Structures are given as C-alpha cells and as structure tokens.
Amino acid sequence: MLKALQLEPEKCTGCLQCEMACSFENEGVFNPSKSRIKVFNFHDEGRFAPYTCSQCAEAWCMHACPVEAIVINPKTGAKDVLESVCVGCKVCTIACPFGTVNYNADTGKVAKCDLCGGDPACASACPTGAITYVDAEHTGLERMRAHAAQSIPKA
Amino acid sequence: MQHVVIGAGPSGVIAAETLRKLQPKASVTLVGDEPEAPYSRMAIPYFLVKQIAEQGTHLRKTADHFAKREIKVLQKRVEGLDRAARQLTLAGGDKLAYDNLLIATGSRPVSPPIPGIDLPGVTSCWTLADARRIAATAKPGARVVLMGAGFIGCIILEALAKSGATLTVVEMEGRMVPRMMNDTAGNMIKDWCQEHGVTVHTSTKVNAIEKHGNALRVVLNSGATVDVDLVVSATGVRPNIELVKDSGIATDQGILVNRQMQTNDPSIFAAGDVAQGIDFSTGEYSVQAIQPTAADHGQLAARNMAGQKGALHRGCVNMNVLDTLGLISSSFGLWMGKAGGDSAELLNRERYRYLNLQFEDDVLVGATSLGLTQHVGVLRGLIQTKTRLGAWKDKLVADPTRIMEAYLASTQAVGFNAGVLK
Ligand SMILES: Cc1cc2nc3c(=O)[nH]c(=O)nc-3n(C[C@H](O)[C@H](O)[C@H](O)COP(=O)(O)OP(=O)(O)OC[C@H]3O[C@@H](n4cnc5c(N)ncnc54)[C@H](O)[C@@H]3O)c2cc1C
Ligand code: SF4
C-alpha cells in the first residue's frame, strides 16, 4: 500500500529538525533554505505548520513539464524530478498550485519532495510526531488531499 | 473510432496519449509537419546554450514511445480539410479519414513588414531548425540584434547572451515584456539586462535591415545603426488557422472552441496555441499561447473526443515565468489589476525584489514577482481557487511575502488541520 506524509501542525513546535534533516538528506548540507519541507511560522498566533508536496493525483507539475523530467516513482507513488532531464525552465514552479516545487539557482534545476525514496528523513527527524509517514488511506489524509484537489478546478 | 490529431507539439502529443489511455481500441494518428521527433519549443533555449543535446528537447525520450502505445505518427503536412467527407489531404495527395479530428497546429512567428526582413542572417527562433541556424552563428564574439522583448524574446535573450555574443535588444514598446509585466517590473528587467552587458533600446523600432559587406546593418528609427552578424526576430506569434480557412470553422484570433474544446463542427476540436480558449481570469476567449495551457487543452480535448462527460473547460490561468540572466520573474492572471480592485506591493530596486498582488475584494486575482523562487506556484493556487482571504488580506497588504501562510491558513480547513490555523 502506498504511504504518504501526514502533517499535523497542532503538534509542531517549530524546531525545524525536519528542514535540517531534509536539506542534509537531499543536498548534503544543514541548510533550512534548501529544504523541501518548510515550516511556516504564524507568529501572531504562536503556531507553526510544516508543509510540503502532497504528491497530489493531479500532478500539475508533471503535466506542465515540457521535457518529461517529472515522473511517478512506481515504488513510492511520489512525483520525482529527474535532475538529468530537467532543463530548469521553472514552468512546474508556477504550475504547482500548492507552491511546493522550488527552483534552486545553484543547481539550475528544481527540487521537490520525493519522499526520500520511501524513508522520509523529515518524519524520522520530527521529535513531536507532527510529521509521520503513514498508509495513504489513513483517516483524514485522503480527505485532506481530496479537499486540496477539489478546490482547484481543472482547466 | 478513428481519432486524428494534427500537430505534434505538446498539445497534440498529450491529446494522442490521453486518447490512447481512454480508448485502448480506437485508432489514434498524430500528424506533424516538422522533420523531427515530437519536441518542445520551450526546450530550445537550453539547446542553444548547449545545456542539452537535441534529444533533450524531445517530448518523449524513447524511440518506440509512440509505437508502443499504438499511436501512428506521420511526418506530413496536412494541406486540406474536407468536412463533408471527414477527410484530410496530406502533402503528396494521400487522404486520411477521421471520425474525430483535433487541430493542434500551434502558432508561428509573424514577420514584421521591415525592408530586409528576408535577408539571410535574419531568422526567427521558433523551431529546432531555427535553433540550429542560430547556434551556428551566435558564438562568442558574434554580434546579434534581437528584435522584440516580449515573453518569447526575453526567453531567447537569456540564451543569446549566454552564448557569448554581443547582444543588442530592440523593443517597440516602452518597456520589456509589456504584455506580461507592469512598468515597474518591465523596467527593472531592463536595468538588470543593461547591468549585465546587454544593450536594450525600448520605444525603438527597426526601420530596415541592410546588407553591409559580410554583415547586416540594422537601422533604428532613432537614426542609429547597429552592425551585426545575426538578427533574431521575435515580434509576436499568430495561430496557424489557415487549414480551416474557408471551411466554415469559426475563427477569431484563433480557432473558437466551446467548453468541450469543440469547434462549431462537433467532430472537430482544437487545442493549444491555435485555440482560442477560456481565460480563467476574464472569462473571455483568448489565445494564451503558453505551454501549461497547451498541455491542459490537449488533455481536455482528448477527454471530450473520447466521449467523457463533464470534462469541461473552465478556463486557464494565464501565467509566465522568465529567467533573464539570473533575474527570475513571473506573472499570473490579472497582473495589471482589475477596475475597482486594490493591491499590495513590496519593492526593493537595489536588490531587484518585487512582489505585486492584485485583489478583487478579498480574493487574489493577479500577481507579478521579481526575484521570487520559493513557493511561487501558490499565487496560481490562490487565484484559481478564488480563495477568500478574509483577515489574511490585510496581513498580505502589510507583507505580501506571506502568501504561503495566507494560503495555508485559508485552505487547510479539513482533516487534521481543521481550525488550527484560522
Ligand atoms: C523559444 C521558445 C521558448 C518558449 N518558452 C516558453 C516558456 O518558457 N513557457 C511557456 O509557457 N511557453 C513557452 N513557449 C511557447 C510554447 O512552446 C508553446 O505555447 C507551445 O509549444 C504550444 O504547443 P502546441 O502544441 O499548441 O503548438 P506547437 O508546439 O507549436 O506544435 C504545433 C505543431 O503543429 C505543426 N503543424 C502546424 N500546421 C500543420 C499542418 N497543417 N500539418 C501538420 N502539422 C502542422 C507545427 O509545425 C508544430 O510542429 C516557448 C516557445 C518558443 C519558440
Ligand atoms: S523546471 Fe525542470 S522539472 Fe520543472 S517543468 Fe522545467 S524541465 Fe520540467
């Protein structure tokens, strides 16, 4: 069964362990600005919300790519960016309505969450259980995704 | 069922693949007139700077991709359309029958009426063939004039400058990318180009191109002249609608389609650069001529050709992203704003940072950004979901960079996130 990242902002304390783990796993550096998961800080309310790609079924990024550089990983179901194919045109970064594909000027390519190939470092690093890697049908998650998808009409 | 798709660009290819997926037994034929494997024009700039080889521009990377899916690919120009007989005439005289036809013939560059525009050494930058020609000349030390600094012009600009040529850009309008950016952003891009060694003349016309020894002399309306080895023309594009001329198919700027991507002939559909589809923001029919729209159209048209119910065209958000010598810009929807609406703006000229948001009531309807690479897509998300921002609108007016927080707080209202961020 496919698994997915479950994000529970109410458990997040804003420690940024996930961003550190992500950037180290994927870029080899401890640099939150290179992380594919991002913790948003609602300072007025003293709240935090981790957020990343939900591997949505619509895959807006994948369909917009002009050179087939984004493909579905058969093992994880994630939409993976093939760095060797990506030309860095950034069309996917404006096509993704969730804002979860980002351009990296250092590499000239885009980066997005690929679930670390099936063992997401952010989930392992999160000390509070705000990020867990669970069966995709786990309660709530499908609804969350369905909500995200429904809210955007297909062209 | 015989589906025929004319045009092997992104729109046609996606349509053919979608048709195959939805109707495993139908016959699907893709006819394209370029002597290439189906490729993406968008990848041309990266081919020009040798970041990729020609193969890297191909829409599908394996040689047997179409054969494996039993999509028949013909490299022929379609020259005639006989609606009564439901039949096409191909170059050379062969006939091709269809039950459902998709016209995805794209657009082509317009040639401005300038003396000398037909001289060798003057070219557009639209096809792989053009790109090969440009790559052969635009080398370090070469001198190049780029006519037109619209969206396509600016994309080529980056590639031409990177190729090491000495580049002069001539744009008729008062700013760069006039149909994608406002004055502030268009002029910041111009300043950036000048700082990076590209000469940009705005509000300037090319009056003539003359042969001058082995070179070309470009005469500007200011009287100044520029001697160059290559002139690249990027002064706009026009939909390829000639095929349906006199056929009774309704056209305006492009081929008119309804919410099923269907023309006024129920067995003929249109998609991509050639189609005048719905603009999400205005609700009006217009030619957007951008890749994401071509992809969406292709898929939608195919679903309707396969008889799927409810696959309705609800409009595409017009959006563009540009990288001009490292300065990344984007614009979405009604970036110019809407009468009666209001806006939020953040500007830092020295650091080339700009973010302009346009609202109608508390809904985001358009945006322009410079120097923003993180979470840009959420601008599209907010526009297309017509999310009511409520209290977040004022927070965005105070700090437009909080778009992602505004989005999360306004949309993640179910499941585990219910109420948490309200
Ligand atoms: C250099 C360059 C850079 C670009 N960069 C971007 C970008 O960054 N972002 C973006 O959104 N868009 C970009 N575009 C625009 C984008 O490429 C087009 O919007 C897209 O290609 C449209 O796809 P299409 O399938 O509708 O048409 P096309 O890709 O033009 O394909 C149509 C095909 O049909 C063929 N054809 C036409 N008439 C006939 C006929 N009678 N018989 C048979 N075949 C026929 C044509 O030769 C062509 O091969 C760029 C374009 C260029 C040239
Ligand atoms: S930036 Fe790369 S992955 Fe994204 S659309 Fe362009 S080529 Fe595809």
Side-chain angles (χ1 to χ4, degrees):
Chain A
M1 178 185 288
L2 285 185
K3 294 175 90 180
L5 283 175
Q6 174 175 291
L7 308 173
E8 295 173 77
E10 63 273 37
K11 294 186 183 167
C12 177
T13 59
C15 74
L16 304 192
Q17 289 296 320
C18 55
E19 294 191 4
M20 298 291 244
C22 177
S23 76
F24 187 69
E25 171 78 23
N26 293 296
E27 310 287 339
V29 288
F30 289 109
N31 181 352
S33 76
K34 298 234 157 105
S35 173
R36 295 151 193 208
I37 189 162
K38 199 87 209 149
V39 176
F40 291 93
N41 187 341
F42 294 79
H43 14 93
D44 334 345
E45 299 94 354
R47 289 187 189 278
F48 302 92
Y51 195 64
T52 189
C53 170
S54 71
Q55 317 296 344
C56 73
E58 284 69 23
W60 311 86
C61 60
M62 186 172 91
H63 293 301
C65 177
V67 293
E68 236 188 352
I70 303 181
V71 296
I72 299 181
N73 181 320
K75 190 176 127 222
T76 60
K79 280 76 189 176
D80 291 356
V81 176
L82 304 176
E83 279 222 11
S84 59
V85 181
C86 171
V87 292
C89 73
K90 309 166 198 73
V91 160
C92 54
T93 71
I94 60 168
C96 169
F98 309 109
T100 52
V101 189
N102 293 322
Y103 178 66
N104 179 344
D106 295 341
T107 57
K109 318 262 173 183
V110 294
K112 69 178 285 297
C113 170
D114 61 0
L115 300 173
C116 297
D119 182 14
C122 55
S124 313
C126 178
T128 66
I131 307 168
T132 46
Y133 193 48
V134 299
D135 287 342
E137 264 136 61
H138 193 275
T139 110
L141 216 125
E142 277 308 303
R143 269 171 56 211
M144 221 175 98
R145 280 193 177 170
H147 169 78
Q150 261 168 20
S151 53
I152 298 173
K154 272 271 187 193
Chain B
M1 186 56 109
Q2 299 233 41
H3 296 294
V4 174
V5 177
I6 314 178
S11 205
V13 164
I14 289 170
E17 290 169 352
T18 309
L19 283 166
R20 170 51 70 237
K21 226 178 277 164
L22 296 175
Q23 295 196 325
K25 295 207 177 74
S27 142
V28 179
T29 308
L30 180 64
V31 197
D33 64 352
E34 290 187 66
E36 327 275 358
Y39 70 95
S40 172
R41 306 201 185 291
M42 269 196 71
I44 286 176
Y46 308 94
F47 166 69
L48 278 179
V49 298
K50 300 195 171 60
Q51 184 184 328
I52 52 171
E54 280 192 19
Q55 218 253 322
T57 69
H58 293 171
L59 283 161
R60 301 297 175 251
K61 306 296 186 213
T62 46
D64 62 351
H65 176 92
F66 296 100
K68 241 166 90 186
R69 285 163 181 76
E70 291 186 54
I71 295 171
K72 197 167 161 195
V73 181
L74 298 178
Q75 256 174 32
K76 280 267 169 73
R77 183 162 178 82
V78 178
E79 290 184 331
L81 163 65
D82 181 345
R83 284 171 53 202
R86 292 203 184 184
Q87 186 173 274
L88 303 174
T89 307
L90 307 181
D94 284 355
K95 306 281 183 198
L96 182 63
Y98 65 84
D99 296 311
N100 274 333
L101 177 68
L102 176 65
I103 303 177
T105 49
S107 49
R108 66 157 177 284
V110 294
S111 195
I114 295 170
I117 194 77
D118 296 323
L119 284 172
V122 183
T123 179
S124 51
C125 180
W126 193 249
T127 61
L128 257 182
D130 292 339
R132 291 183 195 112
R133 205 163 30 240
I134 293 170
T137 320
K139 297 200 165 130
R143 300 155 302 167
V144 181
V145 156
L146 172 64
M147 278 198 302
F151 175 52
I152 301 292
C154 279
I155 289 175
I156 310 168
L157 184 158
E158 153 107 357
L160 290 173
K162 273 193 182 163
S163 69
T166 305
L167 184 60
T168 305
V169 181
V170 184
E171 166 60 44
M172 223 162 74
E173 307 255 345
R175 61 171 185 267
M176 294 178 78
V177 269
R179 273 168 297 282
M180 165 181 164
M181 298 264 162
N182 62 16
D183 271 331
T184 309
N187 285 321
M188 282 167 82
I189 296 178
K190 177 177 171 181
D191 292 346
W192 175 273
C193 287
Q194 308 253 47
E195 266 179 37
H196 287 75
V198 175
T199 309
V200 182
H201 301 286
T202 45
S203 305
T204 305
K205 273 190 199 167
V206 170
N207 272 358
I209 305 165
E210 294 159 359
K211 201 146 171 36
H212 188 75
N214 282 332
L216 293 167
R217 172 160 288 181
V218 178
V219 184
L220 306 180
N221 64 346
S222 58
T225 59
V226 194
D227 290 346
V228 293
D229 307 296
L230 180 73
V231 176
V232 178
S233 164
T235 53
V237 298
R238 181 182 298 146
N240 289 321
I241 56 176
E242 291 67 28
L243 190 61
V244 302
K245 224 174 134 218
D246 307 322
S247 71
I249 299 282
T251 60
D252 174 27
Q253 258 184 304
I255 298 177
L256 291 168
V257 293
N258 63 14
R259 288 189 179 268
Q260 276 90 23
M261 305 308 295
Q262 199 169 32
T263 66
N264 56 328
D265 178 334
S267 58
I268 302 184
F269 298 72
D273 277 13
V274 76
Q276 195 163 332
I278 305 171
D279 183 295
F280 176 85
S281 304
T282 61
E284 279 162 25
Y285 287 80
S286 63
V287 174
Q288 287 180 339
I290 52 171
Q291 160 84 21
T293 297
D296 283 353
H297 277 185
Q299 206 197 49
L300 260 176
R303 289 169 62 195
N304 283 293
M305 289 167 78
Q308 248 190 27
K309 294 269 170 288
L312 287 188
H313 178 36
R314 297 193 179 90
C316 297
V317 175
N318 204 357
M319 54 189 182
N320 295 110
V321 57
L322 259 182
D323 188 338
T324 317
L325 306 169
L327 178 62
I328 293 158
S329 58
S330 63
S331 74
F332 298 82
L334 301 176
W335 52 266
M336 70 304 279
K338 190 161 184 168
D342 48 6
S343 62
E345 187 164 274
L346 178 103
L347 171 64
N348 185 330
R349 273 186 201 278
E350 293 69 45
R351 293 185 58 220
Y352 285 98
R353 293 265 162 172
Y354 182 58
L355 184 58
N356 178 290
L357 306 179
Q358 295 290 338
F359 303 96
E360 178 179 29
D361 205 359
D362 64 344
V363 174
L364 187 74
V365 293
T368 312
S369 83
L370 285 191
L372 181 75
T373 56
Q374 302 297 299
H375 317 299
V376 217
V378 81
L379 292 168
R380 176 207 181 165
L382 281 170
I383 292 171
Q384 205 160 357
T385 50
K386 297 192 175 166
T387 299
R388 287 213 161 269
L389 292 159
W392 271 92
K393 182 183 163 189
D394 286 339
K395 294 183 197 176
L396 284 178
V397 171
D399 181 358
T401 63
R402 298 189 72 195
I403 39 173
M404 201 62 196
E405 284 96 320
Y407 168 75
L408 288 174
S410 313
T411 58
Q412 307 289 303
V414 292
F416 292 98
N417 294 339
V420 174
L421 303 167
K422 274 283 160 189

